[in-house]
């Protein structure tokens, strides 16, 4: 395989991983943290044991503010626009429930929407007589912008979709969709759980974002976040107000209470590492790894890549006419290779059959793909 961009970055991040025993090809599930992230997380847990959780949290208030600032930078907003949440699903349901929607609103979504989000959308629709509208896509699952504009002309009050889906490694033309929506006076809420730290987002200009820490941001599990542009934040109405949000301004009214603070401390270190490397450098290496993986794996052992070869994404989904992705992922893990099997239930409106997902971060190496290719041929 030819040399890939960001070799020094990849080598440095690989050397700094907290564990090296498994080939790490599951960034879209839980990316591998650095030893520094693990150390910071454990150190905070130990501090909680010493002085109690609330005192320990007060001590790291500047660290948590840095987390909000770093997350805001990723999406072109400031720290005041960001609220930390337990996970991306809670972030989505919290922001969606507070969103300023008129009566009998129409909300446009993609078939590739994560099923937890889709369930929340359907529940909202049932409670408030909201109509859900399907956004048009091409055969690859990519938004058809002409169709989106037609949809907007017919009247839509909110557009929401994942920039990169969990089960499909296609990067949506989100910035173009945002520009179209704003031209028609419609707001957009983007799910960036699979996009933050994976593809550049700061230029998107969306009205709201939801994300998680455990995927491409390389933070611990148990931490998510939401963000809202000032114009939207001023109109949010918390469905279930929480004591920490009482008296706050804008989106901070959505602040919750109890949290895994140690995970947020670890996320602070991971975000510092991403900022030091540069989002563009990281995303460029990820895109090159994804293209390399599709070219190498398509057709191996009967597995076929489901995305265009040059898709600028580190998610590669593989389908097989007879083999079960669940059993294959389990066998690969026994062989020391971490991947994920995506069941149809993850996105039943989008997936016909389950797929095997290979997801590569900047710390991955061509040798990882060679090992995977060897295992899939067996």
């Amino acid at each position: 395989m030819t040399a890939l961009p960001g070799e020094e970055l990849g080598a440095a991040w690989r050397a700094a991983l907290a564990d090296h025993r498994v080939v790490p090809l599951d960034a879209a599930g839980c990316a591998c943290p650095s030893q520094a992230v693990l150390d910071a997380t454990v150190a905070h847990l130990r501090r909680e044991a010493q002085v109690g959780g609330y005192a320990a949290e007060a001590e790291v208030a500047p660290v948590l503010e840095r987390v909000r600032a770093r997350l805001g930078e990723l999406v072109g907003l400031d720290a005041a626009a960001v609220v930390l949440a337990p996970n991306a699903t809670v972030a989505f349901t919290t922001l969606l429930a507070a969103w300023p929607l008129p009566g009998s609103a129409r909300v446009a979504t993609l078939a590739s929407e994560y099923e937890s989000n889709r369930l929340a959308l359907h529940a909202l629709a049932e409670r408030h007589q909201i109509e859900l509208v399907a956004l048009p896509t091409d055969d690859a699952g990519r938004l058809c912008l002409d169709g989106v504009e037609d949809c907007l002309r017919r009247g839509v009050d909110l557009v929401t979709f994942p920039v990169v889906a969990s089960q499909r490694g296609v990067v949506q033309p989100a910035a173009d969709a945002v520009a179209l929506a704003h031209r028609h006076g419609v707001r957009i809420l983007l799910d960036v759980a699979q996009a933050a730290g994976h593809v550049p987002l700061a230029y998107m200009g969306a009205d709201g974002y939801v994300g998680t820490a455990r995927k491409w941001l390389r933070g611990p599990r148990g931490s998510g976040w939401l963000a809202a542009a000032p114009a939207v934040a001023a109109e949010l109405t918390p469905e279930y107000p929480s004591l920490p949000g009482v008296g706050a301004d804008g989106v901070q009214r959505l602040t919750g209470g109890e949290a895994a603070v140690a995970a947020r401390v670890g996320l602070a270190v991971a975000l510092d590492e991403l900022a030091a490397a540069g989002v563009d450098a990281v995303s460029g290496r990820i895109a090159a790894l994804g293209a390399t993986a599709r070219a190498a794996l398509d057709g191996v052992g009967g597995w076929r890549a489901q995305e265009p070869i040059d898709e600028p994404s580190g998610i590669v989904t593989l389908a097989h006419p007879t083999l079960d992705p669940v059993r294959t992922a389990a066998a690969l893990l026994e062989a020391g290779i971490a991947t994920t099997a995506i069941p149809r239930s993850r996105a039943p409106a989008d997936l016909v059959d389950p797929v095997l997902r290979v997801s590569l971060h900047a710390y991955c190496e061509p040798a990882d793909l060679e090992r995977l290719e060897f295992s899939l041929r067996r």
Side-chain angles (χ1 to χ4, degrees):
M1 295 183 182
T2 58
L4 297 169
E7 290 289 354
E8 289 187 10
L9 164 63
W13 276 22
R14 185 61 166 246
L17 292 183
D19 197 290
H20 294 263
R21 286 172 289 184
V22 173
V23 176
L25 299 177
D26 190 26
C30 288
C32 296
S34 69
Q35 185 64 50
V37 169
L38 181 60
D39 289 345
T41 304
V42 172
H44 186 79
L45 288 173
R46 294 190 182 281
R47 186 59 177 162
E48 286 186 349
Q50 291 172 343
V51 301
Y54 294 102
E57 182 178 7
E59 291 174 353
V60 297
V63 175
L64 301 181
E65 181 65 15
R66 189 170 86 246
V67 170
R68 286 188 284 269
R70 292 288 194 201
L71 291 170
E73 289 171 3
L74 290 176
V75 294
L77 296 170
D78 60 28
V82 178
V83 170
L84 301 180
N87 53 60
T89 297
V90 170
F92 183 78
T93 55
T94 299
L95 188 52
L96 179 67
W99 200 270
L101 287 172
S104 301
R106 301 180 80 233
V107 177
T109 68
L110 271 178
S112 59
E113 185 67 76
Y114 186 56
E115 187 61 11
S116 287
N117 290 1
R118 183 172 294 280
L119 290 171
L121 286 162
H122 278 286
L124 184 72
E126 290 179 6
R127 289 199 303 269
H128 299 289
Q129 290 74 54
I130 288 170
E131 181 183 357
L132 299 181
V133 180
L135 290 167
T137 62
D138 62 15
D139 292 341
R142 199 183 319 277
L143 277 170
C144 293
L145 293 174
D146 288 344
V148 170
E149 186 152 34
D150 288 342
C151 182
L152 292 167
R153 286 197 186 102
R154 290 195 297 270
V156 170
D157 299 286
L158 173 66
V159 174
T160 181
F161 60 84
V163 175
V164 183
S166 173
Q167 73 288 345
R168 185 185 289 272
V170 170
V171 181
Q172 298 294 347
D176 292 334
V178 169
L180 274 177
H182 287 177
R183 203 176 302 154
H184 288 267
V186 177
R187 288 167 169 166
I188 283 200
L189 167 58
L190 295 179
D191 180 345
V192 297
Q194 291 288 3
H198 180 182
V199 298
L201 297 171
Y203 65 93
M204 295 289 180
D207 303 284
Y209 302 87
V210 297
T212 187
R214 64 183 163 84
K215 300 179 183 290
W216 306 90
L217 295 181
R218 302 178 65 214
R221 290 189 74 183
S223 185
W225 55 282
L226 61 90
V232 174
E235 300 178 25
L236 295 173
T237 302
E239 183 175 35
Y240 298 105
S242 177
L243 186 58
V246 174
D249 294 324
V251 73
Q252 297 305 320
R253 289 173 294 161
L254 304 185
T255 300
E258 189 62 23
V261 177
R264 295 173 177 178
V265 172
L267 175 59
V269 176
L271 290 169
D272 287 346
E273 293 172 345
L274 176 60
V279 172
D280 289 343
V282 171
S283 63
R285 180 167 174 79
I286 290 171
L289 282 162
T292 301
R294 291 183 199 96
L297 300 175
D298 187 40
V300 171
W303 293 93
R304 301 310 304 263
Q306 301 300 290
E307 296 81 21
I309 294 294
D310 60 351
E311 187 69 26
S313 162
I315 293 179
V316 180
T317 56
L318 301 170
H320 197 282
T322 58
L323 295 181
D324 178 10
V326 174
R327 292 183 179 179
T328 300
L332 288 170
L333 188 57
E334 286 186 6
I337 303 171
T339 60
T340 296
I342 305 296
R344 186 171 180 270
S345 60
R346 183 75 59 88
D350 184 43
L351 282 181
V352 176
D353 295 301
V355 293
L356 179 68
R357 185 182 67 193
V358 178
S359 48
L360 305 102
H361 214 310
Y363 49 65
C364 293
E365 303 168 342
D368 298 332
L369 296 174
E370 291 169 2
R371 192 165 161 190
L372 174 62
E373 182 180 352
F374 174 79
S375 295
L376 289 178
R377 287 189 187 280
R378 296 180 66 183

